[in-house]
Structure formats: C-alpha cells, structure tokens
Amino acid sequence: MFRRTDLADLESFIAIARSGGFRKAAVIRGVSGSALSHAMRGLEARLGVRLFHRTSRSISLTAAGEMLLLELEPHFSGIQGAIDLLDSFRSGLAGRVRVTTLRDAACLLIAPRMPSFRRMYPEVEIEVSVDDRFVDMVAEGFDAGIRYGGTVPEGMIASRLTPELDWVVVGSPAYLNQRGRPEQPRDLMSHECIRIRTGTDRVYKWELGKGDRMVALDVPGSLVLGDSELSIRMAEEGCGLFYCLKARVEESVAAGTLEIVLPDWPSPGPGFHAYYVSHRQVPSALRTFLDHLKAPIALQV
C-alpha cells in the first residue's frame, strides 16, 4: 500500500540520484545525511528492491533505481509545473525573500536593479545580507545566496546571473608617478600591493591574463583587507595597487582618481551566480527576484 511518507521519500530518492550522494542531497533537502540514508533503506524495504549500490566512498543506482528515476522525474516535474501555474491566478506577487550576497554583487548587481523591482513588486519583502564570508545559507535561514561561479557551496543548485567579469589592477596616479608603472605582471612583485582576504579566510593570488597567458602572483604588501570598498578607497589614497573587478572602479577611472595598471592583462573570471537548495522548491517571489537580477537594466521599468 502506498503511504503518504513514500512521496517524500521518493522525492529524496530523486535528489540523491541527481546529486550523487547522501551528503549533497541532505543539503538540498535540509536534513541530515543519516536521516536520508535511513529513509532510503526503509523505502527499499517497502518496495522490495535495492535502489542503490553503496560503498564506503560512493553510491550508484542499481538497474531498478535507474528505471525508477526515469519514471518518476517527469511526474514530479509535472506536479511542480502545475503548482507554478497557480501564480497566474494570484492578484499580485507577494512573499519574503532573504538573500546573502557578496559586497561586489550588492553594489554591481542588486543596487542598480532594486528600485525597479520595488516598483514592480511592492508586496514582496526583500532582505539582503551583505557578507563576503561564506555563510551556511540553510542554517541561517536564507532563501538564496549570490557568489562568483566556481565558489558556490557544494550540493547547491547554481544559476548564472551575469556573464564573465574582468579583473584588473588599479592604482592612483600619485602612487604610480612615484613608484613607476608596471610593464609586465612580474613587475608587481616590487610594488606595494593591497592584498585581499577572501571569504574562505585565505589571501588571494592575483590572476592576470587568460588561457595559456594567465599568471597567478602571490603579490607582496603589508596591507591586507577583506572589503573591496575599503580597498578601493585605500588605492585612491595612494596606499598601493589593488586587484578588483573592472566594473567596481569604472567611475574612479573615469574621474581620474585611479588608473588601470597593465591594461593589456585583464583576467576574465566567472560571473555572479545565485545558489539555492532545490529546483522544485524555489518560491515564486525568489524566482522572480533572481530573474530580475538577470535582466539588463535598460529593459527594466
């Protein structure tokens, strides 16, 4: 006899199969890995077949598991699709969205688009926490996070928000007139550099160029900061060279308070990505907010 709990266990089965492990699926489902493992053993016992091959290091689907996954996924997708269609019957989009984001994304992505989102969806409550450190999104109750592609926490669903972003080295004209302008990346090793303390608590190497021409330098410098806003200000004040997103300093470069060093050596990096725990559990308000962040500002009202 089919039980109500079987539905939740079957959805967990899909999450485990698609994520490739209990630990990743546990993050997606918001439960412990041991709870998922226990649920799957119970489901296998009730169904009378083994769904997973288990070893100490990995799991894989049995033939029965592969068949069940193939049959189940379209039905669960159909259920979510039907629920999504209910949005068209609501008088207006509402709800609460809590997002944790990097400061660079807050400045370059969220701030320019927030006014138009507020005008279009006044009933949606938005809470944005700006923090460059890694945050346990599930434990702290966030609906989504925004980070650079390639740094999204393992087990999360990632969605690209922007194309690749260029990174450059900048310095104030006063500093460069005094210390000289680097002509090659290796010249940075004789300069005072404002180094970056990342959200993983490590000092970041500066990457210049791309492809076979890309170099990574552990630059010297007695000033180590974890905030790009403060670092840019210090660079403008002549405290040293700084490595940052080109988009963060366009106004300063145009105003003449900073200039790009080694202009032939920009380094493209992954753009901003949103991440969250499940495709099927993305609330309408969150989905609309993330779609709004993807749209060019010129297309927003």
Side-chain angles (χ1 to χ4, degrees):
M1 177 183 297
F2 186 82
R3 305 187 309 179
R4 187 183 298 270
T5 54
D6 289 335
L7 191 62
D9 288 345
L10 289 172
E11 191 169 15
S12 294
F13 162 74
I14 294 174
I16 296 165
R18 284 307 179 204
S19 64
F22 288 102
R23 185 167 61 86
K24 294 180 182 178
V27 174
I28 294 172
R29 300 289 289 161
V31 298
S32 68
S34 60
L36 275 189
S37 179
H38 179 75
M40 287 305 98
R41 291 191 184 280
L43 180 63
E44 288 174 325
R46 294 194 300 275
L47 296 177
V49 294
R50 177 175 290 184
L51 301 175
F52 294 103
H53 295 297
R54 297 171 175 85
T55 69
S56 59
R57 294 187 176 182
S58 65
I59 66 166
S60 61
L61 288 170
T62 64
E66 290 177 354
M67 182 278 296
L68 184 62
L69 179 66
L70 184 64
E71 294 294 327
L72 283 181
E73 275 200 303
H75 296 290
F76 275 91
S77 297
I79 292 171
Q80 185 61 50
I83 293 174
D84 289 343
L85 289 175
L86 292 176
D87 289 343
S88 62
F89 291 90
R90 298 189 178 103
S91 58
L93 188 67
R96 185 182 185 216
V97 176
R98 296 189 72 232
V99 175
T100 172
T101 181
L102 297 168
R103 186 172 299 279
D104 284 343
C107 294
L108 297 175
L109 191 63
I110 295 179
R113 293 166 174 81
M114 186 66 81
S116 58
F117 184 85
R118 298 298 301 146
R119 290 192 296 270
M120 295 170 67
Y121 306 104
E123 299 302 316
V124 176
E125 179 184 345
I126 300 290
E127 179 181 339
V128 177
S129 175
V130 180
D131 198 332
D132 285 341
R133 69 184 177 90
F134 274 92
V135 173
D136 187 335
M137 192 188 76
V138 175
E140 299 196 23
F142 290 103
D143 300 302
I146 299 176
R147 301 198 68 85
Y148 297 111
T151 66
V152 171
E154 189 176 2
M156 294 289 178
I157 304 298
S159 174
R160 177 189 292 270
L161 298 176
T162 70
E164 287 188 334
L165 299 167
D166 280 344
W167 291 77
V168 296
V169 178
V170 294
S172 71
Y175 172 91
L176 294 168
N177 289 337
Q178 180 183 13
R179 297 288 299 268
R181 286 164 173 78
E183 297 181 358
Q184 295 293 328
R186 63 177 177 271
D187 296 339
L188 295 173
M189 302 305 292
S190 62
H191 279 263
E192 180 67 25
C193 298
I194 302 170
R195 297 191 291 166
I196 306 166
R197 176 76 66 179
T198 69
T200 59
D201 202 36
R202 66 185 180 89
V203 176
Y204 189 75
K205 291 184 178 180
W206 292 12
E207 297 177 351
L208 294 96
K210 59 182 179 180
D212 295 338
R213 194 169 178 249
M214 196 270 283
V215 295
L217 299 173
D218 188 7
V219 295
S222 58
L223 188 58
V224 181
L225 303 174
D227 180 79
S228 53
E229 196 79 35
L230 176 60
S231 299
I232 291 169
R233 177 67 183 276
M234 293 300 96
E236 290 177 325
E237 295 294 329
C239 293
L241 304 180
F242 182 55
Y243 178 79
C244 62
L245 287 176
K246 183 179 181 181
R248 282 302 306 270
V249 292
E250 286 178 340
E251 292 184 2
S252 297
V253 172
T257 59
L258 289 174
E259 64 179 78
I260 294 177
V261 178
L262 299 169
D264 295 332
W265 288 84
S267 180
F272 297 122
H273 284 61
Y275 61 95
Y276 39 87
V277 296
S278 172
H279 278 308
R280 289 186 297 276
Q281 297 176 351
V282 181
S284 298
L286 174 59
R287 184 183 301 110
T288 302
F289 180 65
L290 296 181
D291 286 344
H292 196 78
L293 294 183
K294 296 177 185 180
I297 296 176
L299 298 182
Q300 300 176 7
V301 296

